[in-house]
Amino acid sequence: MSLFIALLALGFLMLVAYRGFSVILFAPVAALLAVLLTDPAAVLPVFSGLFMEKMVGFVKLYFPVFLLGAVFGKVIEMSGFSRSIVTAVIALVGARRAVLSIVLVCNLLTYGGVSLFVVVFAVYPFAAEAFRLSDIPKRLIPGTIALGAFSYTMDALPGTPQIQNIIPTTFFGTNTWAAPWLGLIGAAFILVVGVTYLDRRIASAKAKGEGYGTGHSNEPQVMDEASRAHPAIALLPLIVVGLSNLAFTAAIPRLYGAKAETALAGLDKPLVTTVSSVTAIWAVQLALLAGILTVLVFAWRPVASGFAEGSRAAVAGSLLAAMNTASEYGFGAVIAALPGFLVIRDALSAIPNPLVNAAVTVTALAGITGSASGGMSIALAAMSSTFIAAAQAANIPLEVLHRVAAMASGGMDTLPHNGAVITLLSVTGLTHRQAYADVFAITVLKTAAVFLVIGVYYLTGIV
């Protein structure tokens, strides 16, 4: 019965997310329903002392990253830099190689720190134009954007400032550059196999005489090209974010040492911060801030004219994204405290290999919650100490554990109820029936890449 209660809560949250209801509202409802069925007297103490405690703790750690990432994406969009980057890449690769063009554009934007949701809005108009020119079925656009934005640049490439690559740092004491060679190998596998898959889908469609099609909804308008920035200038903020992230990751420990102590006159005692637990977060925050300032230097006029409205939209978007994930984090903490979760944990712990154990646990919970960051947060909050102990016993570096957990979070998270998938289909004017099969294929490919990386590590010892 205890196992059924835990699964019921997970299934309920998955159902309401799939139906489009707010996770912020229903995550505590699902969690407290499970507590009610387990121990009615514990509902209020668990809500205040566990759910809210974990939820607020997540916001404390990660909200600045969500906020700065959203603002950076917004100023990139307002400056016209995203449009310049997309146009330049398509011109370089060729409109006839539409899939590779759009994948590379998504790579540049996501690896440069632009939010995945912002990338969908920014890239779709150009993807539609490129696919129309090449007479490729529109239904393949979501799979193409998913490959470029929701896969390896999100969590496999070393140094990526996306939240999925940041969360493991606080549990494992690593940084965003953990296991760089394994990340690059996984990324190369996903890129090559993903583009090959989509090219074959295009060839199959053309053999049947299927083209872009007509009568589509949400077709983008032709955009004004007169005021495009030079591509070199447009790329500069992304380069600044990447280099700054690397520089700050190395500089912060040297500047502060193992602990940072801050004594202010109004404090009863000094603030003491363990630097290793926040280095990656601080580095990404400073890097995103440097990227925002770079955009302002080169595009002050177009950004300043609409910054009030644009920043409000960015703040609202970051609050929604952060609170959604924080609610799932609080939900996971409650479920992890229930007797039924012990059954699930023990079953997963029976997997003897620590890396496979971590990968299966993280990707399973990411799939259930429909969120890479939410599922990984739940898994690591509940089982990170177990993962660490098993990895250390097997002499596996925590950097490898970081990369495996991060990549696994972006595997089965893109099930139909995933918020990014729903947004992607809504923006492109397509339905699950029309376009989700290719998104799911990328999901399966991404999941397979995790186990490929694990195999490469055991065969070669490369990190």
Side-chain angles (χ1 to χ4, degrees), residues 20 51 62 100 221-223 326-327 344-345 348 369 439 452:
F51 181 89
Y62 301 115
L100 182 59
Q221 297 179 350
V222 178
M223 303 181 71
S327 293
I344 299 173
R345 185 191 65 187
L348 292 171
T369 60
V439 175
L452 171 73

Side-chain angles (χ1 to χ4, degrees), residues 18-35:
Y18 180 76
R19 301 283 301 211
F21 293 101
S22 171
V23 172
I24 299 173
L25 174 62
F26 280 98
V29 171
L32 297 180
L33 175 63
V35 176

Side-chain angles (χ1 to χ4, degrees), residues 34 45 49 89 105 152 157 187 213 246 255 303 305 352 375 389 401 416 434:
V89 171
V105 167
Y152 53 92
L157 286 182
L246 181 61
L255 179 63
V303 173
S305 62
L401 191 59
Q434 289 173 305

Side-chain angles (χ1 to χ4, degrees), residues 75-95:
V75 297
I76 284 284
E77 176 188 337
M78 294 168 61
S79 65
F81 286 3
S82 61
R83 186 190 314 167
S84 298
I85 293 169
V86 172
T87 307
V89 171
I90 291 176
L92 179 65
V93 177

Side-chain angles (χ1 to χ4, degrees), residues 155-240:
D155 51 43
L157 286 182
T160 176
Q162 299 295 335
I163 192 69
Q164 294 80 6
N165 190 41
I166 297 171
I167 289 174
T169 65
T170 60
F171 291 94
F172 301 139
T174 51
N175 60 52
T176 57
W177 300 89
W181 288 110
L182 290 178
L184 289 170
I185 291 168
F189 171 79
I190 297 166
L191 173 62
V192 172
V193 178
V195 171
T196 301
Y197 165 80
L198 290 170
D199 283 343
R200 288 185 177 179
R201 292 283 285 165
I202 292 170
S204 175
K206 289 189 174 182
K208 297 175 183 177
E210 182 184 0
Y212 185 79
T214 58
H216 297 301
S217 61
N218 286 16
E219 283 294 276
Q221 297 179 350
V222 178
M223 303 181 71
D224 177 26
E225 302 291 331
S227 58
R228 283 206 318 265
H230 190 279
I233 294 177
L235 280 170
L236 186 59
L238 307 183
I239 296 171
V240 166

Side-chain angles (χ1 to χ4, degrees), residues 130-352:
F131 276 52
R132 188 185 299 112
L133 289 174
S134 301
D135 201 27
I136 298 171
K138 183 182 179 180
R139 60 182 174 80
L140 296 177
I141 291 179
T144 303
I145 294 178
L147 175 61
F150 300 170
S151 60
Y152 53 92
T153 51
M154 183 176 81
D155 51 43
L157 286 182
T160 176
Q162 299 295 335
I163 192 69
Q164 294 80 6
N165 190 41
I166 297 171
I167 289 174
T169 65
T170 60
F171 291 94
F172 301 139
T174 51
N175 60 52
T176 57
W177 300 89
W181 288 110
L182 290 178
L184 289 170
I185 291 168
F189 171 79
I190 297 166
L191 173 62
V192 172
V193 178
V195 171
T196 301
Y197 165 80
L198 290 170
D199 283 343
R200 288 185 177 179
R201 292 283 285 165
I202 292 170
S204 175
K206 289 189 174 182
K208 297 175 183 177
E210 182 184 0
Y212 185 79
T214 58
H216 297 301
S217 61
N218 286 16
E219 283 294 276
Q221 297 179 350
V222 178
M223 303 181 71
D224 177 26
E225 302 291 331
S227 58
R228 283 206 318 265
H230 190 279
I233 294 177
L235 280 170
L236 186 59
L238 307 183
I239 296 171
V240 166
V241 170
L243 294 179
S244 298
N245 184 17
L246 181 61
F248 286 128
T249 298
I252 287 172
R254 290 201 299 266
L255 179 63
Y256 287 100
K259 292 185 181 293
E261 293 192 13
T262 303
L264 299 176
L267 295 175
D268 295 332
K269 58 182 180 179
L271 293 174
V272 179
T273 304
T274 302
V275 174
S276 62
S277 66
V278 293
T279 296
I281 297 174
W282 287 357
V284 171
Q285 289 172 2
L286 293 172
L288 289 171
L289 184 58
I292 292 168
L293 294 176
T294 304
V295 176
L296 294 178
V297 168
F298 287 96
W300 171 260
R301 186 170 296 176
V303 173
S305 62
F307 187 74
E309 181 180 352
S311 60
R312 281 197 299 271
V315 170
S318 65
L319 276 169
L320 182 61
M323 290 300 293
N324 271 326
T325 307
S327 293
E328 291 171 343
Y329 187 58
F331 167 83
V334 173
I335 296 301
L338 297 177
F341 186 81
L342 299 180
V343 179
I344 299 173
R345 185 191 65 187
D346 292 343
L348 292 171
S349 298
I351 300 173

Side-chain angles (χ1 to χ4, degrees), residues 171-172 379-389 401:
F171 291 94
F172 301 139
L380 296 186
M383 301 180 68
S384 61
S385 58
T386 303
F387 296 155
I388 291 171
L401 191 59

